[in-house]
Amino acid sequence: MPQFRADAFGPGAVPEDVAAFNAAMARQFGDPPDIWDVGIDQARSGGFMPLPPPSPRAFDIQIADHLSLHVVPNARPRAVLLHIHGGGFVLGGAAHQDFALERMADAVGATCVSVEYRLAPENPYPAAWDDCAEAAQWLLKHAGERFGAETLLIAGESAGALLAVATLQRLRDRGLAERFRGAALSFGVYDSTMTPSQTRARTGTLKAASIAKIVDAYAPDVSLRRDADLSPLYGDLSEMPPALFTVGTLDAMLDDSLFMYCRWLAAGGRAEIALYPGADHAFTETAHPSAREANARIDRFLASCIEPH
């Protein structure tokens, strides 16, 4: 059974404070430019979204010539959380969400390790996928000795959620996924051929034309776009860890989370969906009135996955 009310998608379901916040944002920013209007170089340097301050307790480690991990530690971790950042495969970095990594480290009781994967269009598929899988395999070997915990979790937002599922699929195919005990997957893109909510997106943070350009950047070979790596919605989802799917009703990726939640269950996995009326893409990273509730639920879910069942 769905874990939300059938009327959650109507305008009447939007809380008053959320409606007021959305109206204020519309007055302040109007119809914001997308990354292609700003330009990738300027967007990466903070011209699209201000870069957040670094955590004073964070540090980086190099695990290969081309690959580093950004670590926000917990002094006495019960688990290590592999984090994969969002940004449409073209923006973002492992050190750009330290506030969220600190929150999860403290609330979940986990050392958070974020992957500095290669970005498109300079490095299209499979570069980011290979980097995330390599980071996961490194943690499987070294998490205990380097960070003091053997139990693993995974979390990703937007593009990072796709990469998280693809990483789990790759590990499962090699018999290596069982140590990952839970997955927090927020407003992910799971179909690189674009779900209906993507193709119909005309307003909000992400619009259909911009999404299509993003897909061209990270998956230029159209013939591969329904492969499980690029569109895990069409892949084998058996033997996956418990997952929490978080998404807002205004998100262009709404269908992706709804469909993946159902497919996760159909494959025999445990899944929850957290749906937030009136929330747009990446709302958990903003001052949106539902962000605190959503982040607290993510933290509770991940913490619960550490406990023995």
Side-chain angles (χ1 to χ4, degrees), residues 79-82 108 110 151-155 180-182 302 305-306:
V80 176
L81 186 150
L82 175 62
V108 177
T151 297
L152 300 176
L153 305 166
I154 194 167
F180 281 87
R181 299 279 293 276
L302 289 170
C305 291
I306 303 174

Side-chain angles (χ1 to χ4, degrees), residues 74-80 109-111 147-149:
N74 179 289
R76 301 179 63 183
R78 300 187 299 151
V80 176
T111 285
F147 304 121

Side-chain angles (χ1 to χ4, degrees), residues 124 228 254 301:
L254 174 62
F301 171 80

Side-chain angles (χ1 to χ4, degrees), residues 27-43:
R27 288 193 298 270
Q28 182 175 355
F29 297 108
D31 189 21
D34 64 27
I35 59 174
W36 308 108
D37 297 324
V38 173
I40 288 181
D41 290 340
Q42 186 175 350

Side-chain angles (χ1 to χ4, degrees), residues 9 16 21 34 83 97 121 158 223 277 300:
F9 304 94
E16 289 185 7
F21 176 86
D34 64 27
H83 176 264
Q97 56 283 311
S158 192
S223 69
R300 289 195 304 272

Side-chain angles (χ1 to χ4, degrees), residues 70-294:
H70 183 71
V71 182
V72 175
N74 179 289
R76 301 179 63 183
R78 300 187 299 151
V80 176
L81 186 150
L82 175 62
H83 176 264
I84 308 177
H85 70 80
F89 305 93
V90 300
L91 300 179
H96 293 175
Q97 56 283 311
D98 278 8
F99 180 79
L101 297 183
E102 282 189 343
R103 188 202 79 239
M104 289 190 288
D106 295 338
V108 177
T111 285
C112 294
V113 178
S114 194
V115 188
E116 193 70 87
Y117 60 84
R118 288 169 289 176
L119 298 176
E122 301 92 331
N123 299 284
Y125 175 81
W129 285 253
D130 292 345
D131 290 348
C132 292
E134 185 173 352
Q137 291 177 68
W138 185 90
L139 283 178
L140 286 168
K141 294 179 180 177
H142 302 291
E145 66 184 75
R146 294 297 297 267
F147 304 121
E150 296 283 353
T151 297
L152 300 176
L153 305 166
I154 194 167
E157 303 84 35
S158 192
L162 185 159
L163 290 168
V165 179
T167 296
L168 289 171
Q169 289 177 320
R170 287 187 176 198
L171 294 176
R172 186 271 324 281
D173 290 346
R174 298 183 59 187
L176 299 174
E178 62 181 16
R179 274 183 45 209
F180 281 87
R181 299 279 293 276
L185 305 169
S186 300
F187 33 86
V189 49
Y190 305 116
D191 183 352
S192 291
T193 64
M194 298 178 61
T195 55
S197 62
Q198 292 186 48
T199 60
R200 294 170 61 87
R202 299 291 182 269
T203 61
T205 303
L206 286 173
K207 301 175 182 66
S210 181
I211 298 169
K213 290 180 181 179
I214 290 171
V215 176
D216 288 341
Y218 74 80
D221 188 341
V222 177
S223 69
L224 299 178
R225 289 182 183 174
R226 277 209 175 174
D227 287 3
D229 257 357
L230 285 163
S231 293
L233 181 65
Y234 300 96
D236 177 5
L237 297 173
S238 62
E239 301 177 58
M240 292 285 108
L244 170 64
F245 296 93
T246 298
V247 71
T249 61
L250 300 184
D251 198 325
M253 304 301 169
L254 174 62
D255 286 353
D256 296 64
S257 288
L258 293 173
F259 296 170
M260 276 296 279
Y261 162 67
C262 293
R263 286 228 54 229
W264 211 271
L265 294 174
R270 289 174 48 212
E272 302 176 18
I273 188 162
L275 187 71
Y276 295 91
D280 203 342
H281 196 68
F283 75 99
T284 59
E285 301 166 14
T286 72
H288 192 280
S290 297
R292 183 185 297 270
E293 175 188 352

